Amino acid sequence: MKIETISVRVGRDIESATGEVAPAVHLSTTYERDIDGEFSRGYDYIRPDNPSRRALEQCIAALEGGAEATAYASGSGASLAVFSLLRPGDHVLAPVESYHGTAKQLRDIVGPMGVSYAFVDMTNTDVVRRALTDKTRLVWLETPSNPMLNLSDVETIADLAHGRGALVCVDNTFATPVWQKPFELGADLVMHSSTKYFGGHSDVMGGAVVARDHGGLSDHLRDYQSTSGNVPSPFDCWLVRRSLTTLACRVHAQTHTAARLAQFLHRHRGIERVFYPGLESHPGHELARKQMSGFGAMLSFCVRGGRDEAFAVAARTKLFTRATSLGGVESLIEHRKSVEGPHSVTPESLLRVSVGLENVEDLIADLDEALRMSG
Ligand SMILES: *Cc1c(COP(=O)(O)O)cnc(C)c1O
């Protein structure tokens, strides 16, 4: 099945008892036992498994082409689930420009538990090769990265990592399975912040990890999920599952608009640089053509005039909401450096845009107006 069909059909079976076409939200925390003490209907308690979460997990696993998905309370909950695979003495490689929350987990939670880590330039496979050690158990990739949209070569890095006995997990939040299938490139695990494109409407938080194969990794994650209690509510699962039905449509339309905006910004003299993998000037463009089927709907740009001018441009836009997060139906604009904290390597003049579903001409006109008044 293709992605559009999966997103409409998988985990949305018609309820046989009622004929309901739209799935119900299953709020029950507990399930009736059979007379002989068994649970022949498959559920016993809400935390280990429930129908709303199972429907979501089946759909996400199918979207990524993996064996099994586990859903979590947030994207951060999902990355922590992956880090729960690590043991004292293990070593992790992660990108210099990791999502700042993922980097903070390594520094504040994983590191103090006796795991060492290094942030490396994942755009350079030679750097990755040299950084791998016999203790490296996990290579974390985020491609395209946040917020500079840098590309990492998943296939080459997965080969290098596997050669040293390390696992590879790709944070696929920006690309979504609509444009990138990390398992086809050799990844072992795929992680998502469902708060972004999966949820798609800026009204639900969640996360997921997909394991390529059944077995050790997926068993560990399933056990971790239940034991940690790091789980989404049935209603949150229902909302994300509902939004997934339109994932491909939304991402296609948003990407189309993003490409137009990137071209517009690229030509604008008030802009120093545009970071969008679809632009030929982008250093990751060739790699993006190779490992992605589309360039996505996230872009960033550096405004001439530095930090103050970046803030001024964001303030003058009328259609772009000044807010963090991404992947929703409304376009957002954000000064990243000021939210990323002291470890941030993001330029002061950079604004990140999450392109929504508004009309492209309206969005271009709005940015044009905001930039016209700048220096
Ligand atoms: C938002 C985000 C996360 C964290 O997800 P939350 O749902 O906010 O916890 C991780 N990675 C990327 C790339 C993100 O954009």
Side-chain angles (χ1 to χ4, degrees):
M1 268 191 287
K2 299 274 193 269
I3 206 150
E4 294 83 356
T5 314
I6 293 168
S7 48
V8 175
R9 291 291 172 181
V10 175
R12 287 183 87 239
D13 299 330
I14 303 225
E15 175 60 53
S16 60
T18 60
E20 283 171 323
V21 171
V25 194
H26 295 271
L27 296 174
S28 186
T29 57
T30 189
Y31 294 84
E32 187 186 37
R33 279 175 92 157
D34 303 336
I35 288 161
D36 62 2
E38 295 299 305
F39 294 94
S40 62
R41 287 164 284 191
Y43 300 97
D44 53 63
Y45 182 56
I46 185 173
R47 176 160 37 78
D49 198 5
N50 62 75
S52 296
R53 198 173 81 208
R54 192 185 288 188
L56 174 66
E57 290 175 340
Q58 285 174 347
C59 184
I60 293 176
L63 286 172
E64 285 292 356
E68 196 168 340
T70 39
Y72 301 93
S74 63
S76 303
S79 48
L80 200 59
V82 175
F83 295 148
S84 78
L85 289 158
L86 302 166
R87 294 290 171 261
D90 285 348
H91 177 245
V92 183
L93 292 180
V96 179
E97 28 156 35
S98 304
Y99 173 74
H100 64 102
T102 309
K104 192 167 191 308
Q105 287 185 341
L106 288 172
R107 281 194 303 266
D108 295 357
I109 300 178
V110 182
M113 292 179 153
V115 173
S116 61
Y117 54 88
F119 296 109
V120 298
D121 177 4
M122 289 289 181
T123 66
N124 185 332
T125 48
D126 287 331
V127 169
V128 181
R129 180 184 292 113
R130 286 196 298 271
L132 284 161
T133 75
D134 292 336
K135 300 258 190 255
T136 310
R137 166 104 168 100
L138 174 69
V139 177
W140 185 271
L141 295 177
E142 197 183 310
T143 179
S145 70
N146 181 25
M148 311 276 274
L149 289 304
N150 279 323
L151 274 276
S152 314
D153 185 336
V154 180
E155 202 164 4
T156 304
I157 293 174
D159 280 349
L160 290 172
H162 292 156
R164 301 297 291 266
L167 296 166
V168 173
C169 179
V170 176
D171 181 339
N172 206 26
T173 301
F174 270 39
T176 81
V178 176
W179 297 139
Q180 181 165 268
K181 305 296 278 298
F183 292 136
E184 293 173 6
L185 302 167
D188 304 283
L189 297 167
V190 172
M191 171 263 166
H192 279 278
S193 167
S194 311
T195 318
K196 316 298 168 53
Y197 289 99
F198 282 8
H201 299 74
S202 311
D203 56 8
V204 60
M205 180 172 70
V209 179
V210 190
R212 186 186 54 214
D213 305 313
H214 290 291
L217 288 180
S218 64
D219 291 349
H220 169 96
L221 290 166
R222 185 64 68 200
D223 196 49
Y224 165 85
Q225 178 192 44
S226 173
T227 308
S228 67
N230 169 7
V231 288
S233 76
F235 184 57
D236 288 350
C237 293
W238 184 89
L239 278 173
V240 176
R241 178 65 198 85
R242 180 188 209 258
S243 296
L244 283 177
T245 54
T246 57
L247 176 73
C249 267
R250 286 185 280 110
V251 170
H252 281 137
Q254 287 165 311
T255 299
H256 193 252
T257 302
R260 290 274 312 276
L261 280 180
Q263 290 292 350
F264 163 78
L265 291 164
H266 185 60
R267 287 190 300 266
H268 201 286
R269 58 184 180 82
I271 302 295
E272 250 165 19
R273 275 189 77 182
V274 182
F275 304 97
Y276 183 67
L279 291 175
E280 272 168 38
S281 60
H282 189 277
H285 180 67
E286 280 312 313
L287 182 55
R289 294 184 75 94
K290 202 175 108 202
Q291 73 180 15
M292 301 174 76
S293 52
F295 301 116
M298 293 300 298
L299 59 93
S300 302
F301 54 94
C302 288
V303 176
R304 232 178 264 290
R307 177 190 164 94
D308 292 345
E309 196 49 35
F311 268 98
V313 169
R316 284 193 293 261
T317 58
K318 297 196 172 67
L319 283 179
F320 293 80
T321 305
R322 288 180 303 281
T324 196
S325 199
L326 59 118
V329 295
E330 55 289 290
S331 294
L332 306 178
I333 194 162
E334 186 185 31
H335 185 259
R336 281 304 292 176
K337 178 85 175 178
S338 50
V339 299
E340 286 180 345
H343 299 277
S344 166
V345 293
T346 301
E348 283 283 8
S349 62
L350 181 137
L351 291 173
R352 186 185 79 179
V353 166
S354 168
V355 178
L357 286 172
E358 302 91 342
N359 179 277
V360 61
E361 307 294 343
D362 288 341
L363 291 175
I364 287 177
D366 189 40
L367 272 181
D368 199 24
E369 191 63 27
L371 286 163
R372 194 189 310 270
M373 295 158 77
S374 74

